[in-house]
Amino acid sequence: MSEGSRASSLAFGQVVIGPPGSGKTTYCHAMREFLGRLGRRVAVVNLDPANEALPCPCALDIAELVTLPDVMGSLGLGPNGGLIYCMEYLEANTDWLQEKLEGLRGHYILFDCPGQVELYTHHEALKNVFAQLAKWNFRLAAVHLVDSHYCTDPGKFISVLCTSLSTMLHVELPHVNVLSKMDLIEQYGKLAFNLDYYTEVLDLSYLVDHLASDPFFRNFRRLNEKLVEVIEDYSLVSFVPLNVQDKQSMRQVMQAVDKANGYSFGDQEHRSLEALMSAAVGADFHFTSTLAVQEKYVQSQDKAVEEEVMDL
């Protein structure tokens, strides 16, 4: 195959992963609408055999191949075992997936994946499917969604950092970690630190000290220190804040993903040199996006304090 024909056959997309309830399906359909307004031809592919209540029709649904209820009923498996079986079945039938995806060439693909964490930290089936997609000239980035409410609990946030790091190392794709549902963060309680502390994953020793103030976690200080050391030694984990209702927030996530999977450097869209450099370098994008959310969060906290004072 010539270099020119090979380049023309490239397909770009995202594999959207994360724990249950993190907003993967909502993200996929919000991103499809957002990218569609920019002129991209976008298709959503549902790879979650447990996702029966899809908000919008998908271009391709794994239910055509296998469904979780059928597996659980015929094999007597629980939800977790059934999902693993479904992913192994998909891995064994990648020819079906390849045939279906051929009809979507020319589209930017959003793969809506299952919510079982073990599939991205331990199990090999989905990892092998992603590797097969790469062999078919798909240039993918993993978008790992994490619910922003974990920021309000230091212990859970350390767990999220460990899970994110493990996922990045196991999946072996360009990776963008996203704090989803940022529009709801003020409902979860007051943050111990500024929002940029969590998105940029700054000096985690402060988080360990904060945990030590809790009598329960005080007994596990040494363990938390070692976990934090592992996270900081790799220095890979950071987060992009996301509110799917906010166009600017969606744009910031899009730029991060375009840089990760190489779409920024292609000729799929006409873009100025300034726009290209903005997406490629992205020097200020974490700061501006985080600052906007931080200001809204602080204003919400100040308003709550004012209301409490008025009640007194």
Side-chain angles (χ1 to χ4, degrees):
M1 181 183 293
S2 68
E3 194 66 29
S5 61
R6 182 179 182 276
S8 64
S9 68
L10 286 178
F12 291 87
Q14 308 173 22
V15 292
V16 184
I17 62 179
S22 57
K24 296 184 294 298
T25 300
T26 300
Y27 169 86
C28 284
H29 291 281
M31 186 58 74
R32 181 185 68 171
E33 292 182 6
F34 182 79
L35 295 177
R37 294 192 187 100
L38 297 179
R40 297 191 196 181
R41 297 175 63 198
V42 184
V44 176
V45 173
N46 177 43
L47 293 184
D48 184 359
N51 199 350
E52 298 177 322
L54 296 172
C56 299
C58 293
L60 174 59
D61 192 346
I62 194 176
E64 300 174 25
L65 177 69
V66 64
T67 66
L68 182 61
D70 288 343
V71 169
M72 293 172 62
S74 60
L75 300 179
L77 296 172
N80 291 340
L83 266 176
I84 290 176
Y85 179 89
C86 289
M87 292 303 99
E88 291 176 344
Y89 191 78
L90 174 64
E91 180 188 8
N93 290 274
T94 51
D95 54 339
W96 171 86
L97 182 62
Q98 183 178 24
E99 180 183 349
K100 294 292 185 180
L101 289 175
E102 281 300 319
L104 298 177
R105 284 290 176 178
H107 288 74
Y108 186 97
I109 310 293
L110 299 171
F111 294 92
D112 187 1
C113 298
Q116 189 173 352
V117 175
E118 294 87 343
L119 292 172
Y120 314 113
T121 58
H122 299 85
H123 202 257
E124 297 288 328
L126 262 182
K127 173 185 174 181
N128 293 338
V129 171
F130 298 157
Q132 191 62 54
L133 287 169
K135 293 179 181 178
W136 299 335
N137 279 339
F138 279 89
R139 298 297 177 260
L140 302 172
V143 178
H144 183 215
L145 299 184
V146 174
D147 198 314
S148 60
H149 86 267
Y150 290 117
C151 293
T152 60
D153 187 318
K156 290 180 180 178
F157 187 66
I158 289 179
S159 298
V160 162
L161 293 174
C162 291
T163 302
S164 299
L165 177 59
S166 178
T167 300
M168 294 174 76
L169 296 176
H170 183 74
V171 171
E172 296 181 351
L173 283 176
H175 214 88
V176 177
N177 292 304
V178 174
L179 280 178
S180 63
K181 307 180 186 178
M182 291 303 300
D183 52 319
L184 303 177
I185 191 170
E186 63 265 19
Q187 300 179 13
Y188 299 135
K190 186 173 177 60
L191 297 179
F193 306 98
N194 288 337
L195 187 62
D196 58 351
Y197 178 87
Y198 299 93
T199 57
E200 300 300 327
V201 189
L202 302 175
D203 188 352
L204 295 178
S205 62
Y206 292 104
L207 203 62
V208 175
D209 292 338
H210 186 73
L211 275 171
S213 63
D214 187 313
F216 175 80
F217 287 106
R218 190 179 301 135
N219 297 326
F220 301 97
R221 182 184 179 100
R222 185 64 175 162
L223 172 62
N224 289 324
E225 287 176 346
K226 290 301 180 183
L227 290 175
V228 162
E229 284 180 15
V230 171
I231 296 166
E232 292 184 328
D233 284 347
Y234 277 94
S235 190
L236 291 175
V237 184
S238 62
F239 295 95
V240 183
L242 171 66
N243 172 9
V244 295
Q245 306 296 331
D246 181 63
K247 293 180 181 178
Q248 181 63 17
S249 177
M250 292 289 288
R251 175 177 171 272
Q252 307 293 3
V253 173
M254 178 199 73
Q255 286 182 326
V257 177
D258 283 353
K259 178 184 175 183
N261 64 14
Y263 189 92
S264 296
F265 307 98
D267 58 357
Q268 286 73 18
E269 292 176 358
H270 175 73
R271 49 171 62 85
S272 67
L273 178 61
E274 180 182 355
L276 174 61
M277 293 304 295
S278 174
V281 178
D284 63 340
F285 111 94
H286 270 307
F287 175 76
T288 54
S289 60
T290 303
L291 181 62
V293 178
Q294 177 71 21
E295 287 177 349
K296 181 180 177 182
Y297 173 77
V298 171
Q299 290 171 1
S300 174
Q301 292 296 316
D302 291 343
K303 183 178 179 181
V305 171
E306 289 177 3
E307 291 175 351
E308 290 179 4
V309 172
M310 292 296 293
D311 291 339
L312 293 175

